[in-house]
């Protein structure tokens, strides 16, 4: 194993502020925690974390090389991901007036695999992970190195999304959400939809 503990710490230090930046996954996890509470949101949050970590895995397996040699693949993935995000945003906008779902009932895509799908719909993390991996770690990585790097990434993602699900489900934020559900859902839907359109329209 050639990767050092210091390099892994630097990697985690770069990753933490990057995932703190509001994006579609953070917005969706927060909105779910507001509406459904911690217990119902945690599997969804863990799916979001696992989905994000998969971009690290595919970057380690050489996705960046594919994007460089065949640029159209990144463009195609961006358009497909943008369409999916725009659809999610439209659903949130459209259903903003709907009453809160019964916590005892199912809630559509608010599942572990729904979270995985949402975070895989945005290819930006692939480029982020690829650039960070190239800047922090040596070019020749052993299988043990890749396992250590992926383990660090998935751990940071899991801790972050678990914290979002738990903190946003606390009584005070949930009370504020109940009082302004329509506007919060409309705002979250608009942001996610705009992020999707950005992926579609960006050259």
């Amino acid at each position: 194993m050639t990767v050092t503990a210091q390099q892994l710490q630097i990697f985690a230090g770069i990753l933490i502020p990057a995932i703190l930046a509001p994006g579609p996954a953070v917005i969706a996890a927060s909105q779910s925690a507001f509406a459904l509470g911690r217990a119902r949101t945690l599997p969804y949050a863990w799916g979001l974390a696992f989905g994000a970590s998969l971009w690290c895995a595919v970057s380690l397996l050489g996705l960046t090389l594919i994007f460089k040699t065949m640029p159209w693949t990144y463009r195609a993935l961006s358009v497909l991901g943008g369409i999916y995000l725009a659809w999610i945003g439209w659903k949130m906008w459209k259903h903003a007036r709907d009453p809160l779902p019964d916590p005892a009932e199912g809630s559509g895509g608010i599942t572990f695999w729904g979270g995985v799908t949402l975070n895989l719909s945005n290819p930006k993390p692939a480029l982020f992970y690829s650039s960070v991996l190239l800047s922090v770690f040596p070019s020749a990585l052993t299988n043990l190195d890749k396992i250590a790097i992926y383990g660090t990434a998935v751990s940071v993602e899991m801790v972050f999304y678990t914290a979002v699900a738990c903190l946003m489900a606390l009584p005070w934020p949930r009370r504020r959400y109940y009082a302004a559900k329509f506007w919060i859902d409309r705002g979250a839907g608009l942001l996610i939809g705009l992020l999707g359109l950005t992926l579609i329209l960006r050259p």
Side-chain angles (χ1 to χ4, degrees):
M1 182 170 171
T2 59
V3 167
T4 66
Q6 184 179 17
Q7 288 173 325
L8 292 174
Q9 290 171 356
I10 294 171
F11 175 54
I14 296 172
L15 181 57
I16 290 169
I19 62 177
L20 284 172
V26 176
I27 295 167
S30 301
Q31 197 260 0
S32 175
F34 290 149
L36 300 174
R38 181 184 61 190
R40 289 292 310 284
T41 300
L42 277 174
Y44 184 55
W46 293 333
L48 290 166
F50 181 65
S53 75
L54 287 178
W55 284 121
C56 176
V58 295
S59 297
L60 287 168
L61 294 174
L63 183 65
T64 307
L65 181 60
I66 295 174
F67 285 161
K68 286 182 178 179
T69 56
M70 295 184 290
W72 65 267
T73 58
Y74 178 74
R75 180 63 187 145
L77 192 58
S78 295
V79 171
L80 291 174
I83 291 171
Y84 180 75
L85 289 179
W87 178 70
I88 292 291
W90 165 245
K91 283 182 64 178
M92 293 175 69
W93 178 281
K94 181 180 178 181
H95 295 288
R97 294 186 186 277
D98 292 356
L100 287 170
D102 185 339
E105 298 177 356
S107 185
I110 310 300
T111 64
F112 177 86
W113 291 112
V116 173
T117 302
L118 179 61
N119 244 343
L120 287 180
S121 70
N122 183 5
K124 284 185 178 180
L127 295 182
F128 167 77
Y129 271 115
S130 297
S131 61
V132 172
L133 293 175
L134 290 172
S135 64
V136 175
F137 301 108
S139 56
L141 295 172
T142 67
N143 288 332
L144 283 177
D145 292 332
K146 293 177 181 180
I147 291 171
I149 293 167
Y150 177 75
T152 301
V154 73
S155 297
V156 171
E157 298 279 3
M158 283 289 183
V159 169
F160 172 76
Y161 281 104
T162 298
V164 169
C166 292
L167 292 174
M168 295 304 179
L170 291 172
W172 180 80
R174 292 195 77 190
R175 282 197 299 269
R176 296 297 297 269
Y177 173 75
Y178 293 147
K181 175 185 180 299
F182 173 79
W183 296 110
I184 292 174
D185 286 6
R186 280 282 169 97
L190 181 62
L191 285 173
I192 290 179
L194 288 174
L195 289 168
L197 288 176
T198 299
L199 282 177
I200 295 169
L201 300 175
R202 190 179 60 183

